[in-house]
Amino acid sequence: MLMKVCGYHWAACFAFIHLPALICSFPLHAQETNSHISGLIQSTNNELLSGTTVTLVHEPTKNTYSTQTNGSGYYYFFNLKPGGTYTITVSYSGYITETKQDLYFNYSSVQDEDFIPFVMRKNNTPLEKVVVTGKRPEDVKTGTETNITEQQIRSLPSISRNLQDYIRLVPQAKVSGDGMVSLAGQPGKYNAVFIDGSSSNDPLGLAQSGTNVGQTESSPISPEAIEEIKVSLAPYNAQYSNFTGGSINIITRSGTNQFKSSVWYFLRNEQMAGRSPVPVEKPGSPGIFERSRLSPFFNQAAGIWAGGPVIRNKLFYFLLFERQDEKQPQPFILSGYRGNSTQQQLEALASTMQNRYGYDPGSFLELNKGLSVNRFIIKLDWNPSLKNKLTFSFRYNYAERTNAGAIGGTSLRFSNNAFVVSAKSIAPTIEWKSFLSSSANNRLLVTFTNQTDDRNIIGKPFPSIEITDGAGSIFLGNNSISEIDLFKSSGFGLLDVLKLIKRKHVISAGAEMNYTNLNDLIVPDYFGYYRFGTLNDFITNAFPADVKRTVSLMDGPENDHSKAGSRYSAGRLGLFI
């Protein structure tokens, strides 16, 4: 069976991947996940040595790559695992074998960022093996970009354990307290975020961070899983586009021949937080003011990862699980409220709700924000042969946030006016790197993402009530925009890049296909909205000043299931050379 996207058969689209005549360029957003190196090999007499055997070994996994120099003396290695250490060995008949060790190659989207030349000496006299130890040359950047290494990530303090704590190392980044990352002066929603080449953006566009599960104000990935982050603002390569801010590319850890594991636990409670900035009246003691502490809370994050070999030098695994729980008390300082009602009147309002309607509106003196997150990652690296390398990764992220809404001098909310946002993200990825010959290699990346964002009320269904209270407003009942609210999205992506080496030139040709399906359901004020002009109007059961009610003309929504949602899809085919 053939699937059709935008009028193209998948099989027909795939045939375009290897056409040498790809001369068009279209906006793409697939990202690189590997490193590339090249070099020139010549003799001490500046003679170009073609046919020289170059062997590259990734020491932690003993993963071996081999090629030969072309007629111009150049060698190229593409689709390498970022990091190190690497060892390069160069051998040619009649010349002394040369070796360079302890090399590190950062995640890179350009093939000439690491240029490692060799000068071969003729073997005229019997000499011992010469070992040359060198450091990676200074980066040659094409475009504005910043690499954030694993060492920087491990040493940088982070209370929120979120991505913005690490992106702040980028000179052109501006990070706000609500999780927004502005790159090159653009809003955070204009960035593109990728994890192992798979898109991790917020398709609904509501999250300040611009990432999936971002509406819960949590990170799409655990910092313990990150090996390297690269932020590109203006890459020259036409393959990278579809953003006006920056492209944030995250590479996750991989297993090696050595078994490694890590366990972590972080905690924070009210004793680690400061007292109130201004004295407040002590509960139950009128006229007595004190700088109080926050109500008891307990935030914690715990997890474990393990990596190692399944088959030495062939198959490796990496597993991670993390659990995060947070509770953030938000005490309401009544003395700063600019409305007309006193504490006794507000307590009478709560009693009226309970006695008249049998509905408990909750407390207005303290609201709670909470977060609960489960993260799981599995990654397998398989090296079946010298010419084929396969990587499979699967990421699962479920986050649930209790949001109390805005409170302050002009806004007072009862706790059951809060709402719960839950977000689930599933993202499997398969990458196949094939080294066809010393002058041709291919990279195929297949990704799939599935995301669900859901909002739910707290307590039983009840209309949303707003009471104008002088210069302030009182909110109680259900949150009006969270009664019927469900968003689902799924996306499939395929990227294939063929690289051909001709003398000093590298020709890259490829294609990218994306198909996204979305379903957005929102029925605000489904249980009704009532606005009263004064608190006395509500207490005396007077007519409201404003009434709203939204209904579905297609069916009766139940548990966020309805045909009233907006369904739409988008397909895209891009070619580049």
Side-chain angles (χ1 to χ4, degrees), residues 120-439:
M120 304 287 288
R121 295 176 297 167
K122 286 191 175 182
N123 191 7
N124 296 324
T125 57
L127 295 173
E128 295 182 359
K129 180 179 179 180
V130 176
V131 177
V132 180
T133 301
K135 293 184 178 180
R136 180 176 166 277
E138 186 176 349
D139 289 348
V140 180
K141 296 184 178 180
T142 57
T144 306
E145 58 189 30
T146 301
N147 274 77
I148 304 172
T149 64
E150 182 180 4
Q151 182 180 4
Q152 290 174 298
I153 294 172
R154 301 293 166 259
S155 59
L156 189 67
S158 172
I159 294 179
S160 66
R161 293 174 55 76
N162 220 323
L163 280 179
Q164 60 262 27
D165 286 344
Y166 307 104
I167 306 300
R168 65 186 179 184
L169 293 177
V170 178
Q172 299 83 4
K174 179 181 178 181
V175 178
S176 64
D178 56 4
M180 187 185 76
V181 176
S182 173
L183 295 171
Q186 297 295 322
K189 298 176 184 179
Y190 290 177
N191 299 329
V193 182
F194 299 90
I195 302 177
D196 286 340
S198 177
S199 175
S200 187
N201 292 329
D202 171 31
L204 189 56
L206 295 181
Q208 288 292 333
S209 63
T211 63
N212 62 12
V213 305
Q215 287 195 63
T216 63
E217 302 174 30
S218 66
S219 175
I221 188 171
S222 169
E224 304 295 331
I226 301 175
E227 183 169 303
E228 189 173 349
I229 302 174
K230 183 164 188 172
V231 181
S232 300
L233 274 69
Y236 295 163
N237 195 329
Q239 177 181 342
Y240 311 105
S241 62
N242 208 49
F243 61 90
T244 60
S247 177
I248 302 172
N249 303 277
I250 301 168
I251 301 298
T252 60
R253 292 175 181 262
S254 296
T256 66
N257 272 329
Q258 182 181 4
F259 174 79
K260 294 181 180 180
S261 182
S262 178
V263 178
W264 61 93
Y265 179 76
F266 300 92
L267 65 91
R268 185 168 179 258
N269 58 23
E270 73 279 1
Q271 298 298 324
M272 300 180 184
R275 298 178 182 271
S276 60
V278 296
V280 297
E281 191 173 20
K282 186 177 180 180
S285 303
I288 299 178
F289 292 83
E290 64 178 2
R291 291 186 58 201
S292 60
R293 286 193 176 275
L294 291 173
S295 299
F297 71 94
F298 192 70
N299 295 350
Q300 59 183 344
I304 181 173
W305 67 256
V310 178
I311 303 174
R312 291 185 63 83
N313 303 334
K314 286 287 186 181
L315 181 62
F316 309 91
Y317 71 91
F318 174 80
L319 298 170
L320 178 143
F321 176 77
E322 183 177 62
R323 170 77 180 187
Q324 182 179 355
D325 291 288
E326 293 185 3
K327 183 180 178 183
Q328 302 171 359
Q330 290 188 299
F332 184 77
I333 302 177
L334 193 59
S335 60
Y337 177 57
R338 297 201 292 269
N340 296 333
S341 299
T342 64
Q343 181 170 343
Q344 290 74 19
Q345 290 174 313
L346 293 170
E347 291 172 350
L349 171 61
S351 298
T352 300
M353 292 286 290
Q354 184 72 54
N355 298 331
R356 182 183 298 172
Y357 304 108
Y359 176 78
D360 180 10
S363 171
F364 63 88
L365 290 176
E366 181 171 291
L367 288 76
N368 287 298
K369 292 181 65 176
L371 176 65
S372 177
V373 185
N374 287 321
R375 300 186 182 96
F376 174 75
I377 294 177
I378 179 172
K379 188 174 183 181
L380 299 173
D381 292 278
W382 182 32
N383 306 317
S385 67
L386 192 63
K387 294 184 177 294
N388 293 282
K389 317 292 180 182
L390 287 167
T391 299
F392 168 78
S393 66
F394 177 85
R395 297 184 306 279
Y396 171 84
N397 201 337
Y398 179 82
E400 187 174 278
R401 164 77 71 177
T402 301
N403 198 325
I407 58 175
T410 60
S411 180
L412 183 148
R413 295 179 185 272
F414 284 77
S415 58
N416 279 356
N417 189 248
F419 58 93
V420 176
V421 180
S422 62
K424 180 175 67 175
S425 174
I426 298 174
T429 300
I430 298 176
E431 186 177 27
W432 176 23
K433 295 172 285 189
S434 54
F435 303 88
L436 307 176
S437 67
S438 60
S439 59

